[in-house]
Amino acid sequence: MTSTSANPETLSALDRPNSYIGKTVPRPNLDRLMQGRGLYVSDIELPRMVHVVFVRSPHAHAKIIGIDASAAKQMPGVIAIVSGGELAAVITPWVGVLSHLKGMKSAPQNAIAIDRVCWQGEAVAAVVANSRAQGEDAAELVSVDYQELDAVTDMRTALDPTTAVIHASLGDNLAFERNHDAGTVDQALAESDEVIEAEFIFGRHTGVTLEPRAVVADWNAAEARLTIYQGSQAPHMVQNIAALHLGLKESQVRVVCKDVGGSFGIKVHIYADEMAAYALSKLLRRPVKFVADRVESFNTDIHARDHRCKGKIGVKRDGTITAFEIDDLTGIGPYSMYPRTSAIEANQVVNLVGGPYVTRNYRARARVVFQNKNVMCQYRAVGHPIACSVTEGLVDLAAMKIGMDPIEIRRRNLIADDAYPCASPSGLRFEQLSHHAALAKLVRMMDYDALRAEQSALRARNIHRGIGIASFIEVTNPSAAFYGVGGAKISSQDGVAVRLDAQGSVICQTSITEQGQGSESLTAQIVGSVLGVSMDRVRVILGDTDNTPYGGGTWASRGAGIGGEAALQATKVLRKNILDVAAAILQSTAGELDIVNNVVVTVVDGAPRIELSELARIVYFRPDTLPPGIQPELMATRHFVPREYPFAFTNGVQASWLDVDIDTGFVKLLKHWVVEDCGTIINPQLVDEQIRGGVVQGLGAALFEKCVYDERGQLTNANMADYLVPMSGEMPDIDVGHVVSPTLESELGAKGAGEAGTAGAAAAVTNAVNDALKPFGAIITEIPLTPQIILTALGRI
Amino acid sequence: MKASAFDYARATSVAHALELLTAHGERAKVLAGGQSLLPAMNLRLMAPEFIVDIGELAELRGVTVKGDVLTIGALTRHADLLKSPEIAAHAPLLRDAVAHVAHPAIRNRGTIGGSLAQADPASELPACMLALDATIIARGPRGERRIAADEFFAGIYETALAPQELLIAVELPVQPKDSTHYFHEFARRHGDYAIVGLAAQALVRDGRFADLRLGFFAVGDRPLLARSAGELIDVAVTPAVLAEASSALDEELSPLEDQQATPAMRRHLAKVLLMRCVSSLLSRPDLCTGVSA
Ligand SMILES: Cc1cc2nc3c(=O)[nH]c(=O)nc-3n(C[C@H](O)[C@H](O)[C@H](O)COP(=O)(O)OP(=O)(O)OC[C@H]3O[C@@H](n4cnc5c(N)ncnc54)[C@H](O)[C@@H]3O)c2cc1C
């Protein structure tokens, strides 16, 4: 890995002796996890705890005529069987809309279906029992009488007048539509030498977290308080919503997120079955546990990416891209998810298409329709893979048409590195991106010319390899523009409190959360560096609404950039407070002192003056010895939210090198490269592994993952044998490089890195496959790129 | 995803296992490595009332060679096959095939008897049994039966075994020293069940096949010992001959449709495999040209 700094100025608070910033240090939580001492929700056992199993609809759309639970109630270990109507006594329904998504509509959703089920897998009744196994036995005996209704499954016909309307009160199946028109698209297309059109099809897929969604809800009637243990990315959001719909004050709800076994955006939403678990605890006045099993996960964890997007690009013979135009259609299931809505992905597609390029001419339409399939919502890199695949697919098609090399057409059209600040055709503001530096670095890393030579040599031997390039932009560090302005109580700011304990160690409470990406580590690195203490002295507490400042959590690539900056600012205050006390004790001035390696030293010569442990001893136990009028504050809290830019955009470029077996349609990934620019890099290993993990998820979408529904709305591959996740054996080596353009909105300068890998991987692979198939005149714009699709495109079957 | 309640007994001998199976009849299921049975039970696709665990019957585990017969006990694990010097020496096709069965964790538990009794048409080992001309030994209340491999597999998850019978072992003729083999499968991910696969055993003399046994899998409801192989034996294989054999193979296939492939794609891939197999066994890269349906 190599880094070049586009902004060589050093940043004071970070550039201190023994700084951990920019260093690969082991994650402090590794030992706990590796020794099996993690605490996941499934590990939690409380006295009098019971388990809930949901009876789920086998139909995509049906009326509930009746539920007979009499036999099930007689089964051993059964505590209660609760229907949607009964549960409605303790929990109110919700509607997943946001006011800034103009015209968006959705229908009220209940924790458990009442009267009608709208997708296969929606919960119809809750069976509460002493164990999960007993609950499953009883659930088999709950007999539900359904009357099947017409299921809306094909998004292409969802808006036809002849198609049934899922929610009569909404009038039609349109959840949201956005139109955007910038510049002079028609004129630009008319003046182009070539106009190329294609329809891009994206398979519906899902996140497949290793640990399924899990909740323990514990209503303590004596305290009138609900404690929710849940693997969530946004504890304060869960607190707000649980309170709102259970008729409680937020102060009556505590949300605790211990270890979380993978999330990827799956666990940042409010799910009906989780709401049901909270409500059941309140109803039964005892702890209730819900752990989704794998089949439930496939049927109820949000899906994503089910888009069909028509695209058009205009190009001049000299490679100038004149305009982009898209028409995107997506089906989101029967309800918009709560509270972030299911319109964000389509909205992002409109925002991001064409984003890396200079052209101002851009027209877009996106329509979001309801259907009787599982709900869709935001999953890692929301909208990015679609926007990137459409944009980069069109750019490659244009290059092919005019006979230009894919690198060259990008060089001629990417926004110049010195053109910032500027805005995209969809109105997104860019502070500082580095497309050209990134592309140049990528070309070097992959030795592009040598690879092209190899490709043509192998073609002569009937071996067909392809190179695919994909430039991208990524939304990170979102401000309130994402959700807050639309009325959602999802905080865009984060807070951090740091304090020095009585032995000179540091306790740091942060509102960002950890799902394995290293939030704990990066927080400790920042605190240790800024304060001048070793990381082993820093303990980070996160994921507990009772014990952390208020904040958004970890999602949308915001943890490091926003939570990290709050940590930096809080620690700076603590450092100043410590130095003030030290100056009083040492009869010096704060300016003459520094903290290095857990010791207060003199700045000029580094001479040790007083150990932090000794300072803390004096402050806490012998304050009587301090000069009069000194009141030490060895705890500091700061919050941060970006204000100037709604999002801190990052950028990057990916490349794929692969082999297509033209007899079998099988694709073998040989190598993948990423160069990205996330600003200041706090921990290179964490960043690189975020990129690699993200790429692997993108490669899964490109080649393997798809939720296969039949025409009746049945998910036919809801298991790990038939739903193909990417596995290590098929993954190529992924080389990661960086360009560093820190954001000036924060002292830390960090932007997000969590989604960049996912954003461009599928686009790079699709472009590479089309590059490999060039001699055969076959072009594929559908993912996953299965052997079946490739053989069909080649006319072999 | 919890299995429904069942009774359980761990058999202490083959005789004991057979007693239990006789006593419980169709309600009972044998548990070997559990790598097919337990997932099915946890998904509640199957709910046997009684489990007869044969896992401790050491007498059923191991590989022995006597004369020109290689015997593999039913409880021999996939991982054992992979490591066995006897298999490597006398039936290397099996070693190559097993490397494609699932993943190490599953191969550490899954057994050859379980795999054959499971009779998944996309499974590797049943096709190997056809290619290697195996005999399957079953024991039931009325004694022992020897079943030829091509009479053993009766359909998807169906075999010639009766519910009270135990698969005891398989016997394979020791392959001649100059015998060669070919194994390949098309699977989306390494370790997955195949979309189409081929296990072949051959004798090549003077550039011709003196013998050729082609065991295809995932091309129908059971593994297929292709009769069309006959068209390639004792002839000079030319592209035309190979094309003939390929269309004859096409006649023999009755592939099923699933999420991975249409029947047409399976036919196509089977023919690609035939071509690659013949080209590889005869060391004739010239035979390996593009295939079209
Ligand atoms: C993730 C995963 C991937 C897999 N991939 C593959 C693959 O690619 N290819 C492949 O071939 N297999 C695959 N398998 C299955 C694996 O090979 C199993 O080990 C095998 O199919 C069954 O062997 P077992 O010993 O586990 O049998 P069990 O699961 O214990 O039993 C399977 C069936 O055989 C019966 N049975 C077992 N032993 C006997 C006996 N001695 N006599 C009579 N009946 C018996 C049982 O009653 C049951 O019906 C996979 C399994 C998993 C979990």
Side-chain angles (χ1 to χ4, degrees):
Chain A
M1 192 216 70
T2 45
S3 298
T4 38
S5 179
N7 183 341
E9 295 144 54
T10 52
L11 299 156
S12 60
L14 304 171
D15 189 34
R16 291 164 41 74
N18 304 318
S19 170
Y20 294 104
I21 307 300
K23 299 221 171 84
T24 289
V25 289
R27 295 156 51 174
N29 54 10
L30 270 189
D31 284 348
R32 191 180 79 246
L33 298 175
M34 298 309 288
Q35 293 179 26
R37 299 307 302 264
L39 188 62
Y40 297 89
V41 174
S42 342
D43 297 321
I44 293 173
E45 295 289 336
L46 298 179
R48 298 177 63 248
M49 190 178 81
V50 289
H51 298 256
V52 58
V53 172
F54 293 98
V55 177
R56 295 186 181 275
S57 169
H59 304 296
H61 198 192
K63 235 171 142 154
I64 304 169
I65 307 293
I67 301 176
D68 179 1
S70 50
K73 280 186 177 153
Q74 304 308 310
M75 290 291 284
V78 172
I79 311 279
I81 296 180
V82 182
S83 68
E86 289 162 337
L87 202 63
V90 282
I91 189 160
T92 56
W94 55 87
V95 182
V97 294
L98 287 170
S99 61
H100 67 309
L101 300 169
K102 294 202 176 47
M104 159 137 224
K105 54 190 199 263
S106 185
Q109 186 180 359
N110 291 291
I112 295 180
I114 304 173
D115 300 334
R116 191 166 64 112
V117 287
C118 289
W119 84 91
Q120 177 226 354
E122 186 173 8
V124 188
V127 177
V128 183
N130 283 322
S131 73
R132 171 92 194 185
Q134 286 174 325
E136 287 188 22
D137 283 346
E140 284 191 338
L141 298 185
V142 176
S143 111
V144 184
D145 193 6
Y146 295 100
Q147 181 196 326
E148 267 195 85
L149 302 170
D150 283 342
V152 180
T153 54
D154 189 341
M155 65 167 101
R156 287 169 297 183
T157 53
L159 299 177
D160 290 359
T162 47
T163 300
V165 173
I166 297 176
H167 305 292
S169 62
L170 301 181
D172 58 25
N173 291 324
L174 183 67
F176 178 64
E177 173 164 347
R178 179 175 165 202
N179 287 280
H180 183 83
D181 202 346
T184 51
V185 173
D186 292 327
Q187 193 189 334
L189 290 174
E191 290 167 3
S192 301
D193 290 321
E194 300 286 352
V195 174
I196 302 102
E197 290 181 50
E199 183 173 18
F200 297 85
I201 301 170
F202 301 85
R204 195 179 242 260
H205 62 106
T206 183
V208 196
T209 57
L210 201 53
E211 181 204 19
R213 290 187 295 109
V215 178
V216 173
D218 182 13
W219 172 251
N220 183 328
E223 281 189 324
R225 261 199 122 204
L226 178 67
T227 304
I228 297 171
Y229 303 89
Q230 182 168 337
S232 170
Q233 298 172 237
H236 283 103
M237 180 194 88
V238 172
Q239 176 190 48
N240 168 266
I241 284 170
L244 180 66
H245 293 280
L246 291 166
L248 302 172
K249 292 203 201 67
E250 283 185 20
S251 61
Q252 287 177 283
V253 179
R254 175 182 177 195
V255 179
V256 182
C257 303
K258 297 288 187 184
D259 293 308
V260 183
S263 200
F264 320 116
I266 298 297
K267 297 174 184 167
V268 77
H269 311 291
I270 297 293
Y271 289 86
D273 46 22
E274 293 166 2
M275 291 284 260
Y278 316 154
L280 285 165
S281 175
K282 189 141 182 275
L283 192 72
L284 301 171
R285 300 157 74 95
R286 61 194 297 178
V288 173
K289 184 184 234 178
F290 167 62
V291 181
D293 69 23
R294 194 51 73 184
V295 177
E296 287 181 298
S297 297
F298 277 114
N299 280 297
T300 62
D301 285 6
I302 55 126
H303 295 173
R305 316 273 203 255
D306 199 359
H307 285 243
R308 304 180 77 97
C309 187
K310 292 192 181 112
K312 203 186 269 184
I313 187 171
V315 67
K316 293 239 165 99
R317 220 164 300 290
D318 68 359
T320 308
I321 295 170
T322 56
F324 286 100
E325 182 172 0
I326 63 155
D327 186 3
D328 183 43
L329 177 65
T330 179
I332 55 160
Y335 298 102
S336 167
M337 278 298 275
Y338 189 55
R340 289 166 194 251
T341 84
S342 305
I344 299 286
E345 179 142 275
N347 200 50
Q348 291 279 62
V349 173
V350 173
N351 282 342
L352 297 171
V353 164
Y357 296 103
V358 169
T359 180
R360 312 296 304 164
N361 304 313
Y362 174 45
R363 183 157 56 214
R365 172 170 80 155
R367 284 170 304 156
V368 178
V369 300
F370 293 113
Q371 23 160 223
N372 293 111
K373 293 181 182 173
N374 182 26
V375 287
M376 284 223 315
C377 198
Q378 285 82 290
Y379 160 59
R380 194 175 197 171
V382 190
H384 292 68
I386 293 154
C388 183
S389 291
V390 170
T391 306
E392 295 299 282
L394 288 172
V395 168
D396 264 24
L397 289 176
M400 222 182 264
K401 192 84 179 189
I402 59 167
M404 186 175 278
D405 183 89
I407 297 284
E408 189 52 34
I409 194 170
R410 287 176 173 81
R411 276 197 194 117
R412 294 186 186 200
N413 288 282
L414 288 166
I415 301 173
D417 290 357
D418 61 3
Y420 300 94
C422 63
S424 79
S426 64
L428 303 167
R429 287 164 58 221
F430 302 133
E431 182 192 2
Q432 176 65 53
L433 303 179
S434 57
H435 287 297
H436 290 269
L439 184 64
K441 185 162 193 171
L442 181 90
V443 165
R444 278 199 306 279
M445 278 168 67
M446 65 193 288
D447 202 349
Y448 184 79
D449 293 337
L451 224 49
R452 280 282 175 219
E454 187 178 343
Q455 178 186 38
S456 71
L458 288 171
R459 265 203 181 129
R461 292 168 41 204
N462 204 27
I463 293 172
H464 299 280
R465 298 210 167 153
I467 300 172
I469 308 288
S471 288
F472 63 89
I473 52 173
E474 187 205 340
V475 174
T476 80
N477 295 2
S479 70
F482 228 161
Y483 297 113
V485 297
K489 301 270 189 339
I490 301 169
S491 183
S492 50
Q493 61 86 60
D494 274 282
V496 170
V498 278
R499 73 171 190 264
L500 197 72
D501 80 2
Q503 291 189 325
S505 292
V506 181
I507 297 169
C508 169
Q509 293 148 299
T510 174
S511 59
I512 63 169
T513 54
E514 167 83 88
Q515 300 97 40
Q517 61 277 81
S519 304
E520 229 181 290
S521 181
L522 71 89
T523 304
Q525 281 179 260
I526 292 167
V527 171
S529 302
V530 174
L531 196 57
V533 304
S534 49
M535 263 177 80
D536 57 10
R537 287 216 185 180
V538 183
R539 207 161 81 76
V540 178
I541 295 170
L542 28 65
D544 184 345
T545 56
D546 266 8
N547 287 308
T548 64
Y550 200 93
T554 302
W555 40 271
S557 298
R558 66 188 298 287
I562 298 178
E565 177 69 5
L568 183 152
Q569 295 302 338
T571 312
K572 274 175 73 178
V573 177
L574 177 63
R575 182 162 165 273
K576 176 180 179 302
N577 293 354
I578 291 172
L579 291 179
D580 284 346
V581 180
I585 295 172
L586 301 169
Q587 296 176 344
S588 175
T589 63
E592 290 171 303
L593 300 171
D594 192 6
I595 308 169
V596 176
N597 271 337
N598 313 312
V599 181
V600 176
V601 300
T602 312
V603 174
V604 283
D605 57 3
R609 299 296 301 277
I610 182 171
E611 290 265 351
L612 283 183
S613 53
E614 175 58 11
L615 179 140
R617 185 192 67 80
I618 295 169
V619 167
Y620 290 121
F621 306 119
R622 294 303 307 276
D624 56 309
T625 65
L626 292 171
I630 293 272
Q631 174 53 60
E633 290 295 348
L634 297 191
M635 179 161 185
T637 305
R638 281 294 179 273
H639 294 80
F640 177 71
V641 66
R643 298 288 292 277
E644 203 165 320
Y645 283 89
F647 310 101
F649 272 92
T650 72
N651 68 280
V653 57
Q654 303 198 14
S656 168
W657 169 237
L658 51 73
D659 183 283
V660 182
D661 182 335
I662 55 152
D663 286 336
T664 65
F666 276 72
V667 173
K668 186 170 166 52
L669 302 172
L670 300 170
K671 183 99 188 193
H672 201 95
W673 297 265
V674 183
V675 177
E676 68 81 56
D677 182 348
C678 64
T680 304
I681 293 172
I682 299 163
N683 185 326
Q685 186 179 47
L686 289 179
V687 170
D688 286 1
E689 295 314 320
Q690 277 298 306
I691 300 294
R692 290 197 178 94
V695 165
V696 168
Q697 271 176 315
L699 297 178
L703 297 182
F704 300 111
E705 297 187 59
K706 183 173 183 181
C707 300
V708 181
Y709 276 89
D710 69 14
E711 64 287 351
R712 297 179 57 219
Q714 297 285 319
L715 180 56
T716 58
N717 62 339
N719 63 70
M720 295 294 284
D722 296 321
Y723 182 95
L724 308 181
V725 295
M727 290 175 70
S728 57
E730 280 62 51
M731 291 299 104
D733 282 348
I734 302 165
D735 275 6
V736 183
H738 304 276
V739 176
V740 180
S741 318
T743 169
L744 302 181
E745 267 226 59
S746 66
E747 196 169 328
L748 184 61
K751 311 180 209 174
E755 300 169 283
T758 314
V765 167
T766 310
N767 284 351
V769 166
N770 285 326
D771 186 46
L773 298 184
K774 215 160 137 189
F776 305 93
I779 286 170
I780 307 175
T781 51
E782 174 172 1
I783 57 169
L785 287 152
T786 63
Q788 178 90 41
I789 285 178
I790 292 175
L791 285 178
T792 306
L794 283 167
R796 306 252 158 171
I797 49 172
Chain B
M1 253 201 265
K2 308 281 180 202
S4 41
F6 54 85
D7 287 325
Y8 169 94
R10 175 158 262 201
T12 52
S13 66
V14 171
H16 182 210
L18 291 176
E19 258 170 49
L20 290 166
L21 287 176
T22 307
H24 296 277
E26 306 246 331
R27 300 183 307 120
K29 268 277 171 202
V30 173
L31 173 68
Q35 297 306 292
S36 293
L37 183 59
L38 295 186
M41 287 170 64
N42 285 341
L43 285 163
R44 296 198 176 206
L45 298 172
M46 251 189 190
E49 290 169 38
F50 198 95
I51 291 294
V52 179
D53 182 350
I54 59 169
E56 272 195 351
L57 304 183
E59 56 201 286
L60 293 184
R61 189 172 176 197
V63 181
T64 53
V65 188
K66 253 199 211 126
D68 53 8
V69 176
L70 179 72
T71 305
I72 307 171
L75 272 187
T76 310
R77 302 199 174 123
H78 303 330
D80 301 334
L81 296 179
L82 210 49
K83 284 185 302 220
S84 158
E86 290 85 0
I87 300 282
H90 303 301
L93 171 65
L94 210 48
R95 178 205 54 199
D96 286 7
V98 164
H100 293 263
V101 177
H103 310 279
I106 292 151
R107 295 200 291 260
N108 282 339
R109 287 185 179 273
T111 66
I112 186 168
S115 175
L116 302 182
Q118 180 71 16
D120 189 312
S123 188
E124 292 82 359
L125 300 185
C128 291
M129 295 302 112
L130 297 181
L132 293 169
D133 198 11
T135 303
I136 284 143
I137 314 223
R139 202 180 298 164
R142 283 190 301 277
E144 206 158 275
R145 286 205 291 155
R146 299 171 60 80
I147 309 164
D150 60 359
E151 281 163 18
F152 184 77
F153 302 102
I156 301 176
Y157 308 138
E158 277 178 39
T159 68
L161 283 180
Q164 305 84 3
E165 270 180 323
L166 210 55
L167 198 162
I168 298 294
V170 296
E171 286 181 6
L172 309 174
V174 164
Q175 295 302 318
K177 283 271 169 302
D178 57 346
S179 171
T180 60
H181 69 277
Y182 174 90
F183 184 91
H184 194 78
E185 68 178 40
F186 296 122
R188 295 284 295 284
R189 303 172 303 179
H190 188 89
D192 283 355
Y193 281 103
I195 296 179
V196 170
L198 171 58
Q201 191 70 39
L203 268 180
V204 179
R205 304 237 158 95
D206 305 325
R208 295 180 178 209
F209 287 114
D211 191 16
L212 177 65
R213 293 177 70 88
L214 300 175
F216 281 93
F217 51 105
V219 292
D221 69 350
R222 67 195 82 176
L224 171 82
L225 185 64
R227 285 186 311 276
S228 40
E231 310 221 353
L232 297 165
I233 295 176
D234 279 334
V235 293
V237 177
T238 60
V241 168
L242 189 51
E244 288 272 309
S246 188
S247 23
L249 173 67
D250 201 55
E251 305 268 299
E252 290 185 77
L253 304 173
S254 41
L256 306 171
E257 163 116 41
D258 65 16
Q259 290 178 346
Q260 305 297 344
T262 57
M265 173 160 157
R266 289 206 152 85
R267 284 179 187 281
H268 172 80
L269 290 180
K271 288 186 271 183
V272 172
L273 274 179
L274 175 67
M275 178 194 71
R276 291 186 178 178
C277 167
V278 169
S279 156
S280 152
L281 288 174
L282 296 178
S283 309
R284 292 265 309 276
D286 60 300
L287 292 172
C288 219
T289 51
V291 179
S292 50

